[in-house]
Amino acid sequence: MNKSSPFPYFSVIFLLLNVSPIISTTPTTEKEYSTFYQCLKNQTTFSDQVSNILFTQTNPSFSTLLQAYIRNSRFNTTSTPKPIIVITPQQGSHVQGAVFCAKSIGIQLKIRSGGHDYEGISYISNEPFIILDMFNFRNITVDIENEVAMVQTGATLGELYYRIWEKSKVHGFPSGVCPSVGVGGHLSGGGYGNMIRNFGLSIDHVIDAQIVDANGRILDKEAMGEELFWAIRGGGGASFGVIISYTVKLVHVPEIVTVFKVGKTLEENATELVLQWQKVAPLADDRLFMRLILQPVSSKVVKGKKTIEATVMALFLGGADEVVKILGKEFPVLGLMKENCSEMSWIGSVLWWANFDNGTKPDALLDRNYEASFSKKKSDYVEKTISKEGLEGIWKEMLELRKTGFVFNPYGGKMNEVPCDATPFPHRAGNLFKIQYSVNWDEPGIDVERNFTNQARRLYRYMTPFVSNSPRRAFLNYRDLDIGTNNFGKNSYEEGAVYGVKYFNNNYQRLVKIKTKVDPENIFRNEQSIPTHPSKPEFAHASAIIYVMKSGQDLACTLLDWSLHE
Ligand SMILES: Cc1cc2nc3c(=O)[nH]c(=O)nc-3n(C[C@H](O)[C@H](O)[C@H](O)COP(=O)(O)OP(=O)(O)OC[C@H]3O[C@@H](n4cnc5c(N)ncnc54)[C@H](O)[C@@H]3O)c2cc1C
Ligand SMILES: *[C@@H]1O[C@H](CO)[C@@H](O)[C@H](O)[C@H]1NC(C)=O
Ligand SMILES: *[C@@H]1O[C@H](CO)[C@@H](O)[C@H](O)[C@H]1NC(C)=O
Ligand SMILES: *[C@@H]1O[C@H](CO)[C@@H](O)[C@H](O)[C@H]1NC(C)=O
Ligand SMILES: *[C@@H]1O[C@H](CO)[C@@H](O)[C@H](O)[C@H]1NC(C)=O
Ligand SMILES: *[C@@H]1O[C@H](CO)[C@@H](O)[C@H](O)[C@H]1NC(C)=O
Ligand SMILES: *[C@@H]1O[C@H](CO)[C@@H](O)[C@H](O)[C@H]1NC(C)=O
Ligand SMILES: *[C@@H]1O[C@H](CO)[C@@H](O)[C@H](O)[C@H]1NC(C)=O
């Protein structure tokens, strides 16, 4: 990227503006970016650096820059809406300036860290917008003595794991399994991985953060206060500000951990395996995480026939003998033997889970290249086991659809111990497992896309009787615009409640209260952000609809601050 390249387009616009004040025929986008540029130039602290960090559509680097963190090919087409500008801050003051100027112009600012959002909302919009791209914010400092790490939001999970491993072989951090995921979206949205049952979510280990708020101030935990600090640990960063860094407490991992992967098809009693998995996985030893992957595959028995394969992929924070013993007793259908297990270091398990070849060096975690496909994801939570008849119906539906699969992620363990209002993430005790619906394809085209996204939607509809209801829960980090979006009109609170209650259950209301306080002008908004407090009568009405409680389990979350009603 040629950073010293001048901005000819800017110069032209700038001249025009100087000669004759705003011409009505000037397209809005040109006007907006010239004003934005001028506003940044007016920020005396970095006036001379503006052209190094601002990229317009006519800049030769624009497309490369934009595409560098698009991780879903669905949003990599010529018709995908493009930003007017990509701004790539290199220091805190650049972020402050971008927030200040976006606010003064009234243009939408989308914040992108790792770009893994399943609906691309960090880099797409239906209104004119600017991308604030955080990829230069990738510093990580690991302090083993105090067992903490400061990680900037543009860093990836792989980089965080690597930097911890460099300093200690017995420390780790409980986050996602895909190394290219960005810290910014992942931690602000909850963050879970294969140590969830032993350590909970990433946000359960966040002890400080730095944020640029709607007034362009840089605030740490103390300065932002408990409420905002609560919100940005699971409530989604993009509703509240630009998070620059998180400080996290590291966790202890054993020197040797065990992984295994064992799969069975329907002909090999996969149904029995799934039945038993549901009873064992959420209740097993906290050190054991057994992900279940369900997908249609070609039958090995009958040529040309499809079957369902159920694969258990596991991490045990201990040795192979111990896990074989535990599962021999609790999960006989799996038939796990020591030969099926591999013992390795924790960082080795990170590489194994990320599907790297055996023997790959940890440096691979620093590689930001990513092989993308087209994909659609959805999520659900399961609170009671699905019966044999239920599973058989699901297999039939999957075989008819042919491509959409499931990933079941067991909860339990530490997740049962954290109250559902300790963070905005409410899906704690009472959930057996989370479902991810997953369909990937390689062929571009609108018809193909409709075909596959509709498969996922059809399977989601089919699953209704088996999953949580009122609300039907969803995981924010598995972004799904099907469950509702906001137009930020006069019904923004109700619109927000449609998806907000699914993602946050009763914590939605507290998030609205915090949002109203810290960003009353709704500078930080996207298709599924938290709306501000509406006028009171509407609010009371909406709350009455939302507070339909269903079980004692949720009681802790109803005892929230009701002061909004006064
Ligand atoms: C291949 C893949 C694997 C995944 N695996 C897991 C997993 O194992 N566990 C899990 O929990 N999730 C997983 N996810 C989901 C992932 O956690 C979310 O998509 C997460 O939001 C991605 O963060 P990001 O920074 O890469 O995304 P982005 O697309 O950059 O951002 C996502 C959202 O966060 C906002 N945001 C980003 N950075 C900031 C910031 N600095 N300040 C304020 N707001 C910000 C964005 O505006 C957007 O709304 C996976 C996703 C993919 C594509
Ligand atoms: C930049 O500063 C000048 C001089 O203070 C002011 O007149 C102008 O309105 C400012 N422009 C923007 C876009 O902020
Ligand atoms: C987007 O398109 C570019 C250029 O065609 C390609 O190099 C890149 O790999 C694509 N990215 C994704 C996520 O599809
Ligand atoms: C990262 O750290 C280096 C070295 O301390 C510093 O020069 C740089 O400004 C930091 N980057 C950011 C984005 O904070
Ligand atoms: C598990 O190990 C046994 C004994 O070596 C072997 O027969 C079986 O194929 C293995 N299963 C898997 C899924 O690797
Ligand atoms: C499936 O289960 C039946 C009944 O329990 C058993 O007889 C059979 O051997 C199992 N098949 C496989 C492939 O494990
Ligand atoms: C990786 O390779 C080594 C040496 O060939 C072998 O001992 C080990 O079992 C392999 N591990 C896995 C996970 O395949
Ligand atoms: C739709 O998906 C199915 C597989 O699930 C495939 O067989 C079919 O060809 C697809 N149709 C189109 C138009 O892509």
Side-chain angles (χ1 to χ4, degrees), residues 111 113-118 122 176-178 182 185-186 192 238 241 243 370 477:
I111 310 157
S113 285
H116 280 60
D117 193 281
Y118 286 135
S122 53
V177 300
C178 179
H186 189 72
Y192 87 95
I243 299 155
Y370 182 83
N477 269 353

Side-chain angles (χ1 to χ4, degrees), residues 410-443:
Y411 274 39
K414 181 72 191 292
M415 292 302 278
N416 288 346
E417 291 161 26
V418 181
C420 52
D421 60 354
T423 67
F425 179 98
H427 321 295
R428 304 279 190 169
N431 293 289
L432 296 177
F433 55 96
K434 171 175 59 199
I435 295 181
Q436 180 180 70
Y437 300 71
S438 175
V439 59
N440 298 297
W441 64 99
D442 291 320
E443 206 190 322

Side-chain angles (χ1 to χ4, degrees), residues 206-222:
V206 170
I207 56 171
D208 206 339
Q210 275 197 313
I211 188 171
V212 173
D213 76 353
N215 296 316
R217 297 174 301 186
I218 298 187
L219 308 173
D220 66 2
K221 176 185 171 183
E222 203 187 329

Side-chain angles (χ1 to χ4, degrees), residues 520-533:
E521 291 170 58
N522 201 20
I523 306 304
F524 296 110
R525 63 184 181 278
N526 61 50
E527 292 73 358
Q528 285 188 336
S529 58
I530 301 293
T532 55
H533 192 324

Side-chain angles (χ1 to χ4, degrees), residues 259 341-344 352 357-359:
V259 298
C341 299
S342 306
E343 292 187 329
M344 53 183 64
W352 184 87
D357 292 336
N358 189 5

Side-chain angles (χ1 to χ4, degrees), residues 172-294:
F173 191 68
S175 278
V177 300
C178 179
S180 54
V181 167
V183 164
H186 189 72
L187 265 63
S188 64
Y192 87 95
N194 53 25
M195 299 199 289
I196 184 175
R197 303 191 63 258
N198 203 54
F199 295 116
L201 302 171
S202 306
I203 47 173
D204 300 336
H205 303 269
V206 170
I207 56 171
D208 206 339
Q210 275 197 313
I211 188 171
V212 173
D213 76 353
N215 296 316
R217 297 174 301 186
I218 298 187
L219 308 173
D220 66 2
K221 176 185 171 183
E222 203 187 329
M224 77 178 86
E226 282 300 330
E227 285 301 283
L228 181 53
F229 184 60
W230 178 85
I232 59 169
R233 285 174 296 156
S239 296
F240 302 98
V242 183
I243 299 155
I244 286 180
S245 70
Y246 281 107
T247 304
V248 299
K249 191 85 188 158
L250 304 179
V251 300
H252 292 228
V253 295
E255 265 172 72
I256 296 293
V257 305
T258 302
V259 298
F260 66 82
K261 193 172 182 176
V262 173
K264 290 190 192 302
T265 59
L266 292 180
E267 294 94 347
E268 296 162 336
N269 292 344
T271 307
E272 288 302 317
L273 180 129
V274 177
L275 277 171
Q276 206 163 70
W277 177 90
Q278 294 183 86
K279 301 214 164 81
V280 180
L283 295 172
D285 189 308
D286 292 359
R287 293 170 298 163
L288 178 59
F289 176 80
M290 290 190 285
R291 166 175 284 182
L292 180 68
I293 301 156
L294 296 164

Side-chain angles (χ1 to χ4, degrees), residues 70-120:
I70 293 181
R71 294 338 196 166
N72 187 340
S73 305
R74 259 167 79 202
F75 311 116
N76 195 26
T77 70
T78 47
S79 57
T80 307
K82 306 287 184 291
I84 296 163
I85 295 167
V86 178
I87 175 164
T88 63
Q90 295 168 355
Q91 57 194 53
S93 60
H94 297 166
V95 178
Q96 294 177 287
V99 169
F100 174 83
C101 293
K103 184 178 179 177
S104 64
I105 296 169
I107 192 166
Q108 188 181 32
L109 195 64
K110 287 283 185 124
I111 310 157
R112 181 164 76 170
S113 285
H116 280 60
D117 193 281
Y118 286 135
E119 300 277 16

